[in-house]
Amino acid sequence: MQLNIYKDHHTLSLEAAEAILATVKNNPTAVLCLATGDTPAVAYELLVKKAMDEQVDFSHCIFIALDEWVGILPENEGSCHYFLESRLFKPLNISASQVHLFDGMATDLAGECKKMDEAIAAKGGIDLMLVGVGLNGHVGFNEPGVSADLYAHVINLDDITRLIGQKYFQQNTVLKQGITLGLKHVLESKKLVMMASGLKKAEVMKKALEEEINILMPAGIIRMHSQGVVMMDETAATYLTVKPA
Ligand code: F6R
Protein backbone atom coordinates (compact mmCIF):
# COMPACT_ATOMS: atom_id res chain seq x y z
CA MET A 1 0.00 0.00 0.00
CA GLN A 2 1.20 3.47 -0.84
CA LEU A 3 0.42 6.47 1.36
CA ASN A 4 0.33 9.96 -0.12
CA ILE A 5 -0.35 12.96 2.10
CA TYR A 6 -1.17 16.31 0.49
CA LYS A 7 -1.13 19.72 2.09
CA ASP A 8 -4.81 20.47 1.70
CA HIS A 9 -8.12 19.31 0.27
CA HIS A 10 -7.57 21.08 -3.04
CA THR A 11 -4.18 19.48 -3.68
CA LEU A 12 -5.61 16.10 -2.70
CA SER A 13 -8.50 16.63 -5.11
CA LEU A 14 -6.15 17.62 -7.93
CA GLU A 15 -4.06 14.50 -7.45
CA ALA A 16 -7.12 12.27 -7.28
CA ALA A 17 -8.42 13.83 -10.51
CA GLU A 18 -5.01 13.18 -12.10
CA ALA A 19 -5.10 9.54 -11.00
CA ILE A 20 -8.45 9.02 -12.74
CA LEU A 21 -7.28 10.87 -15.85
CA ALA A 22 -4.06 8.87 -16.01
CA THR A 23 -6.06 5.63 -15.87
CA VAL A 24 -8.23 6.70 -18.79
CA LYS A 25 -5.32 8.06 -20.84
CA ASN A 26 -3.49 4.72 -20.43
CA ASN A 27 -6.59 2.67 -21.06
CA PRO A 28 -9.45 4.40 -22.90
CA THR A 29 -11.73 1.41 -22.23
CA ALA A 30 -11.09 1.49 -18.47
CA VAL A 31 -13.76 0.25 -16.08
CA LEU A 32 -14.12 2.86 -13.36
CA CYS A 33 -15.93 2.66 -10.05
CA LEU A 34 -16.05 6.08 -8.41
CA ALA A 35 -17.53 6.80 -4.99
CA THR A 36 -19.99 9.58 -4.33
CA GLY A 37 -19.91 11.87 -1.28
CA ASP A 38 -18.22 15.03 -0.10
CA THR A 39 -14.68 13.67 -0.21
CA PRO A 40 -14.31 13.27 -4.01
CA ALA A 41 -16.69 16.07 -5.06
CA VAL A 42 -13.98 18.64 -5.83
CA ALA A 43 -11.82 15.98 -7.48
CA TYR A 44 -14.67 15.28 -9.92
CA GLU A 45 -15.10 18.99 -10.68
CA LEU A 46 -11.40 19.21 -11.47
CA LEU A 47 -11.56 15.96 -13.44
CA VAL A 48 -14.33 17.31 -15.67
CA LYS A 49 -12.43 20.55 -16.24
CA LYS A 50 -9.15 18.80 -17.03
CA ALA A 51 -10.84 16.20 -19.25
CA MET A 52 -12.28 19.05 -21.31
CA ASP A 53 -9.07 21.11 -21.39
CA GLU A 54 -6.97 18.11 -22.37
CA GLN A 55 -9.69 16.55 -24.55
CA VAL A 56 -9.48 13.20 -22.80
CA ASP A 57 -11.90 10.75 -24.36
CA PHE A 58 -14.19 9.03 -21.86
CA SER A 59 -16.55 7.70 -24.52
CA HIS A 60 -15.24 4.13 -24.27
CA CYS A 61 -14.98 3.91 -20.49
CA ILE A 62 -17.41 1.97 -18.36
CA PHE A 63 -18.75 3.36 -15.08
CA ILE A 64 -19.81 1.01 -12.31
CA ALA A 65 -21.73 2.18 -9.23
CA LEU A 66 -20.15 1.64 -5.86
CA ASP A 67 -23.39 1.86 -3.92
CA GLU A 68 -26.90 3.28 -3.55
CA TRP A 69 -29.44 3.97 -0.83
CA VAL A 70 -32.27 1.46 -0.93
CA GLY A 71 -35.72 3.04 -1.42
CA ILE A 72 -34.41 6.34 -2.77
CA LEU A 73 -35.44 7.51 -6.23
CA PRO A 74 -32.66 8.18 -8.73
CA GLU A 75 -33.90 11.75 -9.19
CA ASN A 76 -33.58 12.46 -5.47
CA GLU A 77 -30.62 14.85 -5.04
CA GLY A 78 -29.28 12.70 -2.21
CA SER A 79 -29.04 9.54 -4.31
CA CYS A 80 -25.71 8.25 -5.56
CA HIS A 81 -27.34 8.07 -8.99
CA TYR A 82 -28.10 11.79 -9.00
CA PHE A 83 -24.62 12.66 -7.74
CA LEU A 84 -22.85 10.70 -10.48
CA GLU A 85 -25.26 11.77 -13.21
CA SER A 86 -25.04 15.48 -12.43
CA ARG A 87 -21.34 15.74 -11.57
CA LEU A 88 -19.77 13.23 -13.94
CA PHE A 89 -21.96 11.62 -16.55
CA LYS A 90 -23.70 14.74 -17.87
CA PRO A 91 -20.60 16.98 -17.94
CA LEU A 92 -18.44 14.23 -19.47
CA ASN A 93 -21.12 13.27 -21.99
CA ILE A 94 -21.27 9.68 -20.83
CA SER A 95 -23.97 7.64 -22.56
CA ALA A 96 -26.38 5.33 -20.73
CA SER A 97 -24.76 2.30 -22.35
CA GLN A 98 -21.52 3.09 -20.51
CA VAL A 99 -23.11 3.12 -17.08
CA HIS A 100 -24.10 0.38 -14.64
CA LEU A 101 -25.84 1.76 -11.57
CA PHE A 102 -27.81 0.08 -8.80
CA ASP A 103 -31.56 0.67 -8.84
CA GLY A 104 -32.29 1.34 -5.18
CA MET A 105 -36.02 1.17 -5.94
CA ALA A 106 -35.89 -2.33 -7.44
CA THR A 107 -38.25 -4.87 -5.92
CA ASP A 108 -35.71 -7.60 -6.66
CA LEU A 109 -32.61 -6.25 -4.92
CA ALA A 110 -30.88 -9.62 -5.02
CA GLY A 111 -31.39 -9.53 -8.79
CA GLU A 112 -29.80 -6.05 -8.89
CA CYS A 113 -26.75 -7.43 -7.08
CA LYS A 114 -26.52 -10.36 -9.45
CA LYS A 115 -26.80 -8.08 -12.49
CA MET A 116 -24.01 -5.89 -11.13
CA ASP A 117 -21.71 -8.82 -10.37
CA GLU A 118 -22.29 -10.14 -13.88
CA ALA A 119 -21.68 -6.75 -15.48
CA ILE A 120 -18.36 -6.36 -13.67
CA ALA A 121 -17.27 -9.88 -14.59
CA ALA A 122 -18.32 -9.36 -18.22
CA LYS A 123 -16.20 -6.20 -18.43
CA GLY A 124 -13.15 -8.05 -17.09
CA GLY A 125 -13.20 -6.48 -13.62
CA ILE A 126 -12.76 -2.96 -12.30
CA ASP A 127 -9.60 -1.16 -13.40
CA LEU A 128 -9.81 1.71 -10.95
CA MET A 129 -11.89 1.90 -7.84
CA LEU A 130 -11.90 5.17 -5.93
CA VAL A 131 -13.49 5.04 -2.50
CA GLY A 132 -14.07 7.34 0.45
CA VAL A 133 -14.22 6.29 4.09
CA GLY A 134 -17.19 6.68 6.41
CA LEU A 135 -16.80 7.97 9.95
CA ASN A 136 -17.45 4.39 11.08
CA GLY A 137 -14.81 3.02 8.68
CA HIS A 138 -17.20 1.84 6.00
CA VAL A 139 -16.17 1.53 2.37
CA GLY A 140 -19.07 1.82 -0.03
CA PHE A 141 -21.80 0.54 2.26
CA ASN A 142 -19.63 -2.22 3.67
CA GLU A 143 -20.40 -1.47 7.28
CA PRO A 144 -18.30 -2.59 10.26
CA GLY A 145 -18.54 -6.35 10.73
CA VAL A 146 -19.32 -7.15 7.08
CA SER A 147 -17.76 -10.26 5.55
CA ALA A 148 -14.86 -9.65 3.17
CA ASP A 149 -16.11 -12.56 1.05
CA LEU A 150 -19.11 -10.76 -0.39
CA TYR A 151 -19.63 -9.36 -3.86
CA ALA A 152 -22.61 -7.00 -4.36
CA HIS A 153 -25.11 -7.24 -1.52
CA VAL A 154 -27.84 -5.46 0.40
CA ILE A 155 -26.95 -4.40 3.91
CA ASN A 156 -28.66 -2.84 6.92
CA LEU A 157 -27.09 0.52 7.49
CA ASP A 158 -25.27 1.26 10.69
CA ASP A 159 -26.74 4.02 12.92
CA ILE A 160 -23.83 6.38 12.13
CA THR A 161 -24.38 5.95 8.38
CA ARG A 162 -28.11 6.60 8.71
CA LEU A 163 -27.45 9.76 10.69
CA ILE A 164 -24.52 11.14 8.68
CA GLY A 165 -26.29 10.20 5.44
CA GLN A 166 -28.86 12.93 6.15
CA LYS A 167 -26.28 15.50 5.00
CA TYR A 168 -26.87 14.48 1.37
CA PHE A 169 -30.63 15.05 1.52
CA GLN A 170 -32.65 18.25 1.55
CA GLN A 171 -35.13 16.87 4.03
CA ASN A 172 -35.01 14.27 6.75
CA THR A 173 -35.01 10.93 4.93
CA VAL A 174 -35.52 7.39 6.15
CA LEU A 175 -32.33 5.48 5.38
CA LYS A 176 -32.43 1.84 6.34
CA GLN A 177 -30.52 -0.21 3.84
CA GLY A 178 -27.87 0.19 1.22
CA ILE A 179 -26.98 -1.81 -1.87
CA THR A 180 -23.25 -1.96 -2.43
CA LEU A 181 -20.36 -3.62 -4.16
CA GLY A 182 -18.70 -5.96 -1.69
CA LEU A 183 -15.23 -5.98 -0.20
CA LYS A 184 -14.43 -8.80 -2.59
CA HIS A 185 -14.89 -6.36 -5.46
CA VAL A 186 -12.76 -3.84 -3.59
CA LEU A 187 -9.96 -6.36 -3.17
CA GLU A 188 -10.23 -7.58 -6.75
CA SER A 189 -10.11 -4.10 -8.29
CA LYS A 190 -6.89 -3.70 -10.27
CA LYS A 191 -6.12 -0.40 -8.57
CA LEU A 192 -7.68 0.95 -5.39
CA VAL A 193 -7.53 4.60 -4.39
CA MET A 194 -8.85 5.52 -0.96
CA MET A 195 -9.40 9.23 -0.29
CA ALA A 196 -9.77 10.89 3.10
CA SER A 197 -10.02 14.56 3.93
CA GLY A 198 -10.43 16.68 7.04
CA LEU A 199 -9.95 16.33 10.77
CA LYS A 200 -13.24 14.44 11.12
CA LYS A 201 -11.62 11.51 9.28
CA ALA A 202 -8.35 11.58 11.27
CA GLU A 203 -9.38 9.09 13.94
CA VAL A 204 -10.88 6.56 11.56
CA MET A 205 -7.84 6.75 9.26
CA LYS A 206 -5.50 6.10 12.16
CA LYS A 207 -7.50 3.02 13.08
CA ALA A 208 -7.72 1.84 9.46
CA LEU A 209 -4.04 2.30 8.74
CA GLU A 210 -2.36 1.54 12.05
CA GLU A 211 -4.49 -0.83 14.11
CA GLU A 212 -4.66 -4.56 13.50
CA ILE A 213 -6.74 -5.31 10.40
CA ASN A 214 -10.18 -6.54 11.44
CA ILE A 215 -13.72 -6.72 10.10
CA LEU A 216 -14.90 -3.94 12.39
CA MET A 217 -12.84 -1.47 10.35
CA PRO A 218 -13.55 -2.23 6.66
CA ALA A 219 -11.31 0.62 5.46
CA GLY A 220 -8.31 -1.37 6.74
CA ILE A 221 -8.77 -3.54 3.64
CA ILE A 222 -6.65 -1.05 1.69
CA ARG A 223 -3.62 -2.55 3.42
CA MET A 224 -4.39 -5.93 1.86
CA HIS A 225 -4.45 -4.50 -1.67
CA SER A 226 -1.20 -4.75 -3.61
CA GLN A 227 -2.14 -1.75 -5.76
CA GLY A 228 -3.73 0.28 -2.98
CA VAL A 229 -3.04 3.99 -2.66
CA VAL A 230 -4.28 6.09 0.24
CA MET A 231 -4.56 9.74 -0.70
CA MET A 232 -5.28 12.05 2.18
CA ASP A 233 -4.78 15.63 3.25
CA GLU A 234 -2.66 16.66 6.21
CA THR A 235 -5.58 17.15 8.54
CA ALA A 236 -6.91 13.64 7.89
CA ALA A 237 -3.38 12.39 8.66
CA THR A 238 -3.19 14.28 11.97
CA TYR A 239 -3.07 11.19 14.21
CA LEU A 240 -0.91 8.93 12.05
CA THR A 241 2.24 7.84 13.83
CA VAL A 242 4.21 7.03 10.73
CA LYS A 243 4.01 9.46 7.83
CA PRO A 244 5.97 9.40 4.59
CA ALA A 245 8.97 11.76 4.60
C1 F6R B 1 -20.36 6.89 -1.23
C2 F6R B 1 -19.75 5.90 -0.36
C3 F6R B 1 -19.48 6.15 1.06
C4 F6R B 1 -18.68 7.44 1.27
C5 F6R B 1 -18.34 7.66 2.76
C6 F6R B 1 -17.66 9.00 2.98
O1 F6R B 1 -20.53 6.36 -2.55
O2 F6R B 1 -19.49 4.83 -0.83
O3 F6R B 1 -18.78 5.06 1.60
O4 F6R B 1 -17.49 7.37 0.53
O5 F6R B 1 -19.50 7.59 3.52
O6 F6R B 1 -18.55 10.03 2.65
P1 F6R B 1 -18.07 11.55 2.55
O7 F6R B 1 -17.09 11.59 1.43
O8 F6R B 1 -19.32 12.33 2.25
O9 F6R B 1 -17.45 11.87 3.87
Side-chain angles (χ1 to χ4, degrees), residues 35-39 66-67 132-134 138 140 167-168 201:
T36 64
D38 292 340
T39 311
L66 175 58
D67 49 12
V133 179
H138 74 198
K167 71 178 175 173
Y168 306 117
K201 298 289 170 74

Side-chain angles (χ1 to χ4, degrees), residues 10-238:
H10 187 79
T11 316
L12 163 68
S13 302
L14 257 180
E15 294 297 330
E18 285 296 351
I20 302 168
L21 272 184
T23 302
V24 176
K25 284 180 187 169
N26 284 336
N27 175 12
T29 62
V31 179
L32 306 170
C33 172
L34 306 177
T36 64
D38 292 340
T39 311
V42 175
Y44 298 162
E45 253 176 57
L46 296 168
L47 172 70
V48 167
K49 189 171 178 317
K50 278 175 168 282
M52 282 171 180
D53 290 350
E54 298 175 29
Q55 303 206 332
V56 181
D57 183 9
F58 277 75
S59 66
H60 301 290
C61 290
I62 297 294
F63 289 83
I64 300 284
L66 175 58
D67 49 12
E68 187 56 276
W69 308 100
V70 168
I72 300 297
L73 288 164
E75 49 273 24
N76 185 316
E77 290 187 11
S79 73
C80 300
H81 187 125
Y82 187 93
F83 180 104
L84 292 170
E85 185 68 39
S86 57
R87 294 169 193 254
L88 287 175
F89 303 157
K90 258 206 196 111
L92 288 173
N93 248 324
I94 304 301
S95 70
S97 62
Q98 294 173 257
V99 173
H100 297 266
L101 299 182
F102 286 115
D103 177 2
M105 296 300 290
T107 42
D108 179 11
L109 290 169
E112 277 298 293
C113 294
K114 188 165 177 279
K115 258 197 313 196
M116 189 60 92
D117 290 346
E118 287 171 356
I120 294 171
K123 300 293 173 198
I126 296 169
D127 293 301
L128 172 68
M129 192 176 224
L130 184 146
V131 298
V133 179
L135 285 180
N136 62 354
H138 74 198
V139 171
F141 282 141
N142 290 283
E143 302 284 38
V146 75
S147 160
D149 288 331
L150 292 175
Y151 284 115
H153 59 281
V154 176
I155 189 164
N156 291 333
L157 298 172
D158 178 291
D159 287 346
I160 300 177
T161 303
R162 293 159 70 153
L163 186 73
I164 303 287
Q166 297 301 326
K167 71 178 175 173
Y168 306 117
F169 295 88
Q170 283 175 351
Q171 54 214 30
N172 208 355
T173 302
V174 179
L175 302 171
K176 284 191 182 153
Q177 289 189 309
I179 182 166
T180 183
L181 296 192
L183 292 181
K184 213 161 174 171
H185 284 126
V186 178
L187 274 177
E188 288 179 3
S189 61
K190 291 168 203 163
K191 181 168 180 176
L192 176 63
V193 171
M194 178 175 282
M195 287 180 81
S197 174
L199 192 57
K200 62 179 184 297
K201 298 289 170 74
E203 207 177 307
V204 75
M205 291 314 290
K206 180 173 174 67
K207 287 185 185 156
L209 300 182
E210 297 188 349
E211 287 184 4
E212 203 176 311
I213 298 178
N214 85 79
I215 57 164
L216 294 177
M217 183 44 64
I221 202 165
I222 184 88
R223 289 151 69 194
M224 295 163 64
H225 198 296
S226 63
Q227 300 302 314
V229 184
V230 177
M231 302 177 79
M232 64 206 297
D233 55 22
E234 278 176 6
T235 49
T238 302

